[in-house]
Amino acid sequence: MLDQGVVAVTNFSLTLAVARIGGLNTLGTFSILSVSMLLLLGFSRLFITEPWLVSRVQNDPSGPLLTLIWAAGISSAGLFFFGILFFLPGEWAWLWAAPISGFWIVQDAGRFIAFKAQQPDRALLSDGVILVIVAAGATVSLFLVPAGVALELLLAAWAVAMLAGLFTVMPSLGSNSPRLRGTASWWSAHLRLNSLPMVHDGVAYLVASNFTLYLIAATARAEEVGLIRVVTSLFSPLALIFTGISMWLVPLLTQLGAAASKTMRHRVSLLLALLSLPLLTLATLFGPRLAGAVFDLSTPPTAATLLLAGLSTSIIAIGSPWMAAAKIEGLYRSVAWGRTLAAALAVGAIAFFPAVQSVEGFLAVTLAQSAVVVATAILVVARSEPQLGND
């Protein structure tokens, strides 16, 4: 959870620096590029690192695994390089996104390998190095250089930070060398069966969280995409806490019997609901003023906007014990279909209804998606409880 905290602080620092350097328009472009990086990182995790993490393959990474990791990183860098040349011609500062995306995929894989090898300190050190360099770059960009080069210097610092983080975690990648021969057959033999069950839910999640933002970028203004980034950044610490609780619940619930697991789910959900109430109240009352001051916004988000984002975060938190139970009991396919339905409805709403093509519309759709996913998890787990109780 500490490692996640470091990553969250890094992301917040970047968002804050970009907003203060270039305003919401620049932050909107940055948000689209960041989402695109996370999209490619998500596919790398779905097909390579997460299936390997849960497999029984040895902890020392093999040559085929390293080949897949480096191929994913190089491919991501290439896609960003040519994509920026095509979609952002003349805006050369954004070309730094190409090496950043490539380094990020390999560094992230190194973190996964370190976790499997019971070396979380190495992953934490890698993310800590990235945070220190990004923070230094943000400070210099904001206060010590002319405005005309501030953004490029910040992105260059981010690239150096990712490279340094990669070198820090490099020992986790092992002593084997990448090799092309036999890589496809190795993936099919060792990772394919673990990968396919994750792809359905993973792709639905990526569509729900990323493609909908692309639609907003296409139908609304860049400033609105930037404002969405600001609002979600304000709730990132809360989301971090809830994610940590969810990660803690999965191994805990596997050790409990059916009755004890049911009791734990209800108690944790109730506790998270009670915690959400004062946090939502504080965000609604003080969030607009805080966002305006921290991000230097002339038009800060409204209380209603923050309430929508906060409710979405809280609903996912309250439902996290049920989603964890669905994974443990082998019921997650229904949750994946619920997420798929929610993603399809969200894409359709944003694409065809102008009223939804705004910050508030996007956040309302996100709230609806969260509600559908959590309701599905609660329904499938609750329906299975009488059966579990009879076993």
Side-chain angles (χ1 to χ4, degrees):
M1 187 166 173
L2 182 59
D3 177 71
Q4 289 178 304
V6 173
V7 174
V9 173
T10 302
N11 292 337
F12 185 83
S13 300
L14 286 165
T15 301
L16 176 61
V18 172
R20 297 187 75 90
I21 288 170
L24 286 178
N25 187 53
T26 301
L27 183 59
T29 303
F30 174 79
S31 300
I32 293 299
L33 290 176
S34 298
V35 163
S36 300
M37 290 183 197
L38 290 171
L39 179 67
L40 295 178
L41 179 65
F43 281 118
S44 173
R45 287 178 173 180
L46 279 176
F47 287 98
I48 304 172
T49 46
E50 288 188 359
W52 182 82
L53 185 67
V54 300
S55 71
R56 298 183 182 275
V57 181
Q58 72 276 11
N59 288 342
D60 186 28
S62 64
L65 176 65
L66 297 180
T67 301
L68 292 169
I69 292 170
W70 283 104
I74 294 170
S75 299
S76 178
L79 285 171
F80 264 92
F81 179 80
F82 290 108
I84 290 168
L85 288 179
F86 182 78
F87 290 106
L88 298 171
E91 300 187 40
W92 309 120
W94 296 118
L95 285 174
W96 283 108
I100 291 169
S101 65
F103 296 152
W104 195 352
I105 284 179
V106 182
Q107 185 265 348
D108 183 73
R111 292 171 66 249
F112 272 75
I113 293 170
F115 285 130
K116 185 167 184 175
Q118 300 300 312
Q119 298 172 337
D121 291 346
R122 182 169 289 163
L124 178 61
L125 177 61
S126 176
D127 289 328
V129 168
I130 293 171
L131 172 59
V132 169
I133 298 176
V134 165
T139 301
V140 172
S141 300
L142 286 170
F143 303 111
L144 300 177
V145 299
V149 298
L151 178 63
E152 187 166 2
L153 191 147
L154 176 65
L155 296 174
W158 190 14
V160 172
M162 295 308 301
L163 181 60
L166 170 56
F167 275 115
T168 304
V169 82
M170 187 71 80
S172 296
L173 296 176
S175 57
N176 291 310
S177 300
R179 57 182 175 86
L180 290 174
R181 185 176 181 181
T183 296
S185 59
W186 181 88
W187 181 87
S188 181
H190 296 288
L191 305 186
R192 179 176 174 273
L193 291 178
N194 288 325
S195 174
L196 293 181
M198 300 179 185
V199 169
H200 182 184
D201 182 63
V203 170
Y205 173 79
L206 291 172
V207 169
S209 61
N210 296 355
F211 190 68
T212 49
L213 192 62
Y214 291 144
L215 285 175
I216 288 293
T219 57
R221 298 173 298 159
E223 290 88 344
E224 293 184 292
V225 179
L227 192 57
I228 290 171
R229 176 81 179 211
V230 167
V231 171
T232 54
S233 295
L234 289 174
F235 286 96
S236 59
L238 184 61
L240 167 69
I241 295 171
F242 292 156
T243 300
I245 292 173
S246 179
M247 292 176 64
W248 163 75
L249 274 173
V250 173
L252 175 63
L253 293 178
T254 57
Q255 302 172 18
L256 301 176
S261 177
K262 178 180 178 180
T263 301
M264 177 63 71
R265 277 200 311 275
H266 285 269
R267 287 179 176 176
V268 173
S269 290
L270 179 60
L271 175 63
L272 291 172
L274 293 175
L275 287 174
S276 296
L277 290 175
L279 292 172
L280 286 174
T281 302
L282 289 173
T284 303
L285 292 176
F286 302 106
R289 186 178 303 174
L290 178 64
V294 171
F295 292 95
D296 193 24
L297 303 178
S298 57
T299 306
T302 65
T305 299
L306 291 169
L307 180 61
L308 287 172
L311 283 172
S312 180
T313 304
S314 298
I315 286 174
I316 288 294
I318 295 167
S320 60
W322 301 85
M323 296 172 70
K327 290 180 180 179
I328 294 167
E329 302 298 339
L331 304 170
Y332 205 72
R333 184 172 295 276
S334 297
V335 179
W337 277 110
R339 196 188 298 276
T340 302
L341 173 63
L345 292 174
V347 170
I350 294 174
F352 298 109
F353 294 96
V356 185
Q357 297 166 2
S358 63
V359 175
E360 291 78 10
F362 174 83
L363 294 174
V365 166
T366 302
L367 173 59
Q369 291 179 75
S370 301
V372 169
V373 172
V374 169
T376 304
I378 293 174
L379 179 62
V380 296
V381 172
R383 289 181 62 184
S384 70
E385 282 177 344
Q387 301 171 12
L388 294 174
N390 293 333
D391 290 341

